[in-house]
Every structure is written in C-alpha cells, then in structure tokens.
Amino acid sequence: MKRFYKQVDVSEVEGGFQVTLDGRKIRTQGGAQQIVPTNALAQRLADEWREQGEDIDPQSLPRRDLTDFALDQVQANRAATIAKLLSFAQTDTLCYRADPDEPAFRQQRDLWEPIVTACEAREGVTFQRVSGIVHKAQSDTTLTKLEQRLEREDHFILAATLTMASLAASLITALAALEDGADAQSLFAAANAEEDWQAQLWGWDAEAQKSRAARLEAFKLAADYVALARAD
C-alpha cells in the first residue's frame, strides 16, 4: 500500500490518546477507535507511522498490531484471554525439568528456580515442579490466585502478557516481565534455555537462529509495550 498521508499527530481524546493521520483518527483493523491509555504509547504508535516510506510495510507496525489485538479481541474476550494465560501455567516451561540424575537438571534448577520462587513469593502461590514429561496439574488455589492477579490488568497489558507467555511457553516468565526493571532479554533466554543448550551441543541452524532472534525481538517489544501502556 502506498503511503496516503503526510502528517502524523497524537490527540488527547475521551478515554486516552489517539494517533491521527492528516487529522483523521486511526481505527483498529476491526473498526474500533484506536484509543490507548497513555501518551507515551500513542507517541510510539505515531512513530511507526512516521517511519514509513513511500510504501507502507505492515510488518513494521508491530505495536499497531498488538494494540488492535488488545482492542478488537482481548477487550471483548477477557475471560478467554485469561483462560489461555492460565493454560500456560499448567504446562509452564520453567516447571518441567529433566530427571535429577541428568546433567540438564542442575542447569535448569540453577537458572529457573530463582524466577519460579520469585513468582511464588510475589503472587502468593506454589508451583508444582515436574521431572520428565508427565503432566502434573497445578493446584486450584494457585490457578485461582493467578486468575485474580490477571483480572487486575487491563486489556492492553493482558494482550502483551499473552504475547510473552506464548513466546516463552511460560506464564511465570511473562509475569516476571511485567515487573518494574525486568530484564526481558534475560527472561527470554531463561525460558529458551533448553533450545539454546541443544543448539550449543549440536550446532546452530541458520533458520533456527533467525527464528530465535525474531521471537526475542517480539518478546522485548511486548515487554516495552507494557512499560509504555503504564507510563503516564
């Protein structure tokens, strides 16, 4: 699509802030008014439009896509979004570990246990750790407390959290990334550690490296989106 606008601005509107293109207010891909909660987030959305060349590259509008997801899907389906997030707690990467006599067990314990125990302390929950691949359900008490925790977030934060949980296959990792001062790159590396260890052992495949880099950037962008959505 050819660029069809010259001027990009941000307007304060009822309910938040909205990007305008030549004075026309942007709508989501689903047709809703694209109003976001903070000026900081609106300015970054505006930057994506300002940075377009003669042709608009849809792949270079990731914050637009995440905002539309929050408004068009998460806002209308909060219960389904939270249920999906809780499903990541049931099979959380950081809770499924090698058998204690395997070399990987100590690496996993040393890397993952601090993140898991910090989440337990912060959220007042207890996670089951599993050796091997046999599923072990998390307790109803833990899931209820996690559900209550997620219910406190708005649809913008839930959209970013679901993005991070999906990329990390870990709700624990996504919740850690919501904390002030969180190191998104280190958290992603921890969740991706098993894949990284295998690659170090057998060698990196070019496509796998490309995929990992793309997932890392998406995780970091979602973590940054949280900060922008809470900025003001």
Side-chain angles (χ1 to χ4, degrees), residues 1-56:
M1 179 189 296
K2 291 291 185 181
R3 178 167 175 159
F4 56 87
Y5 57 90
K6 293 182 179 179
Q7 184 68 29
V8 182
D9 295 296
V10 171
S11 298
E12 187 169 5
V13 298
E14 184 177 355
F17 300 84
Q18 191 169 15
V19 177
T20 62
L21 304 179
D22 292 340
R24 295 189 295 273
K25 295 175 180 177
I26 287 184
R27 290 180 176 269
T28 68
Q29 295 168 78
Q33 294 289 337
Q34 195 195 67
I35 299 171
V36 297
T38 68
N39 182 56
L41 178 53
Q43 292 294 343
R44 285 301 294 124
L45 290 168
D47 288 342
E48 289 186 341
W49 290 105
R50 293 186 183 107
E51 291 163 4
Q52 298 299 311
E54 291 185 9
D55 294 309
I56 295 174

Side-chain angles (χ1 to χ4, degrees), residues 8-228:
V8 182
D9 295 296
V10 171
S11 298
E12 187 169 5
V13 298
E14 184 177 355
F17 300 84
Q18 191 169 15
V19 177
T20 62
L21 304 179
D22 292 340
R24 295 189 295 273
K25 295 175 180 177
I26 287 184
R27 290 180 176 269
T28 68
Q29 295 168 78
Q33 294 289 337
Q34 195 195 67
I35 299 171
V36 297
T38 68
N39 182 56
L41 178 53
Q43 292 294 343
R44 285 301 294 124
L45 290 168
D47 288 342
E48 289 186 341
W49 290 105
R50 293 186 183 107
E51 291 163 4
Q52 298 299 311
E54 291 185 9
D55 294 309
I56 295 174
D57 176 12
Q59 299 299 316
S60 66
L61 297 165
R63 293 173 186 82
R64 184 278 307 264
D65 291 343
L66 188 51
T67 299
D68 289 358
F69 176 60
L71 290 167
D72 290 340
Q73 298 186 46
V74 175
Q75 183 173 220
N77 298 284
R78 281 181 59 87
T81 300
I82 290 172
K84 179 64 176 177
L85 282 163
L86 293 175
S87 74
F88 286 106
Q90 287 282 26
T91 58
D92 202 291
T93 292
L94 274 58
C95 292
Y96 280 79
R97 306 176 185 180
D99 290 325
D101 59 347
E102 295 181 14
F105 176 81
R106 180 175 295 179
Q107 291 176 304
Q108 293 168 341
R109 182 195 61 196
D110 293 348
L111 184 59
W112 293 345
E113 195 62 17
I115 302 172
V116 176
T117 56
C119 184
E120 289 176 322
R122 192 172 60 246
E123 310 299 345
V125 298
T126 301
F127 287 102
Q128 296 276 1
R129 281 74 156 170
V130 181
S131 289
I133 60 174
V134 177
H135 175 68
K136 183 180 291 186
Q138 300 297 338
S139 72
D140 290 342
T141 299
T142 287
L143 294 175
T144 297
K145 287 185 177 181
L146 291 173
E147 181 179 14
Q148 293 169 346
R149 165 70 177 85
L150 294 167
E151 284 283 7
R152 296 197 295 270
E153 300 294 354
D154 67 26
H155 42 283
F156 297 100
I157 304 302
L158 287 177
T161 305
L162 181 55
T163 297
M164 292 187 288
S166 300
L167 290 163
S170 168
L171 178 59
I172 294 170
T173 301
L175 289 174
L178 298 183
E179 295 300 298
D180 291 342
D183 184 338
Q185 183 158 329
S186 295
L187 287 169
F188 178 83
N192 202 68
E194 192 165 0
E195 179 182 319
D196 290 346
W197 292 331
Q198 290 296 323
Q200 291 166 9
L201 182 62
W202 302 107
W204 279 101
D205 173 84
E207 285 302 314
Q209 280 187 301
K210 184 177 179 180
S211 173
R212 186 196 190 284
R215 289 185 288 115
L216 170 59
E217 287 308 307
F219 188 94
K220 289 165 60 179
L221 183 140
D224 181 63
Y225 189 94
V226 169
L228 292 169

